[in-house]
Amino acid sequence: MTPIGADAARTPRRRRALRAVFAAALLLAFAGFLALGVWQVQRLGWKRDLIARVDARVQAAPTDAPARAGWVAVSDSRDSYRRVRVSGRFVPGKAARTQAVTELGAGVWLLQPLQTDDGDYVWVNRGFVPTGDTGRAAPQGRVELVGLLRMSEPGGGFLRRNDPQHDRWYSRDVRALALARGLPAERVAPYFIDAARAGDGRAWPRGGMTVVKFRDSHLSYALTWFGLAALTLVGAGWLFASERRLRQDRARAKGRADHAHSTGPG
């Protein structure tokens, strides 16, 4: 049979062990929340730098679209949304339509390959066409156009993959579009161009509808993580205060017991 004194001695040790585990968990949580907050602050700086760089590209004077020799160096971080110009002739009979949801409603992006003056091909997003409309045919003869360089969108859209066999497109995957339209893939640029709005902008397809907007919630995320880190400090403070009160209560109880023992019948 376990002595009562042994149980009494074991209980404080068990409580101290539990408090130590709780304190360690709070410390780990505090470090984790703090690290996540710092990471979001770093992401905030990166995002704002990206927004500034993209805004500068959109506002800059157009430059020549990268030719084949420079395709290997084209990247999303360096070239997306850069204003470029290109000249050549639209290839008839090769247009493609990809799903689009815009501020004007649902419809399609009307894409058509342009054979450049160098003999290569660049897919041009001529603009938005609402559901139920066909859009004007591409102009014949040599054209010069300006637009925003966009990187290819392989695979498909959200939860919907491109289906080349049935000519169903949910993203602007330039390589897959080239293969589906019988274009030589090695001569097709790895990007497409969102054409700027032409004329009065009332006819379809309507260009110049690229949405240049980036979600920037990193500050709110950072504040959330830092707030959770602060709450762990509150929890640690509560743990420390409760431990202190418990020790004081024990000391007072022991003092009363000692006093009762010393004043008892002798």
Side-chain angles (χ1 to χ4, degrees):
M1 186 173 184
T2 305
I4 296 176
D7 286 340
R10 193 178 299 122
T11 299
R13 289 198 296 269
R14 187 180 297 117
R15 288 177 178 171
R16 285 195 295 270
L18 289 174
R19 284 193 294 270
V21 171
F22 187 42
L26 285 174
L27 181 61
L28 288 174
F30 174 77
F33 291 146
L34 191 63
L36 287 169
V38 171
W39 176 63
Q40 287 296 334
V41 170
Q42 293 171 342
R43 293 282 295 173
L44 174 65
W46 168 82
K47 180 61 70 65
R48 292 188 173 176
D49 178 66
L50 172 65
I51 292 172
R53 285 188 283 113
V54 169
D55 185 63
R57 294 173 194 168
V58 171
Q59 301 300 327
T63 58
D64 291 336
R68 193 195 308 184
W71 287 352
V72 68
V74 174
S75 68
D76 183 34
S77 61
R78 190 176 64 181
D79 298 293
S80 282
Y81 301 100
R82 183 157 63 88
R83 288 187 74 205
V84 295
R85 58 174 172 260
V86 66
S87 58
R89 297 173 182 270
F90 282 108
V91 182
K94 303 292 185 180
R97 296 167 181 262
T98 67
Q99 186 181 47
V101 178
T102 72
E103 60 184 8
L104 299 179
V108 297
W109 298 117
L110 183 57
L111 279 79
Q112 192 153 350
L114 181 85
Q115 186 169 24
T116 68
D117 295 336
D118 295 331
D120 294 318
Y121 298 88
V122 176
W123 280 97
V124 174
N125 176 14
R126 295 178 53 216
F128 175 73
V129 177
T131 302
D133 200 299
T134 58
R136 294 177 302 175
Q140 298 180 354
R142 185 176 181 275
V143 297
E144 295 183 1
L145 60 87
V146 172
L148 299 180
L149 186 150
R150 304 289 306 280
M151 299 304 296
S152 181
E153 301 166 344
F158 180 66
L159 298 180
R160 307 188 77 174
R161 298 192 64 81
N162 292 327
D163 184 4
Q165 184 176 356
H166 297 93
D167 204 31
R168 295 172 184 163
W169 303 95
Y170 304 101
S171 72
R172 292 160 290 192
D173 184 339
V174 297
R175 180 175 176 80
L177 286 168
L179 292 174
R181 294 299 185 265
L183 299 176
E186 70 281 359
R187 293 174 58 189
V188 177
Y191 56 84
F192 62 94
I193 296 175
D194 277 347
R197 185 168 300 184
D200 59 10
R202 297 178 182 177
W204 310 111
R206 184 174 300 178
M209 291 186 62
T210 308
V211 177
V212 186
K213 186 177 182 180
F214 299 92
R215 186 179 178 185
D216 186 5
S217 302
H218 298 295
L219 180 58
S220 62
Y221 292 156
L223 292 176
T224 298
W225 292 124
F226 287 141
L228 290 172
L231 285 177
T232 61
L233 292 181
V234 172
W238 173 85
L239 180 65
F240 176 79
S242 62
E243 172 66 15
R244 184 177 180 182
R245 285 194 303 269
L246 184 59
R247 286 198 302 266
Q248 291 173 346
D249 291 343
R250 286 176 180 170
R252 283 194 294 267
K254 185 176 183 302
R256 287 195 296 269
D258 292 343
H259 178 72
H261 179 75
S262 63
T263 59

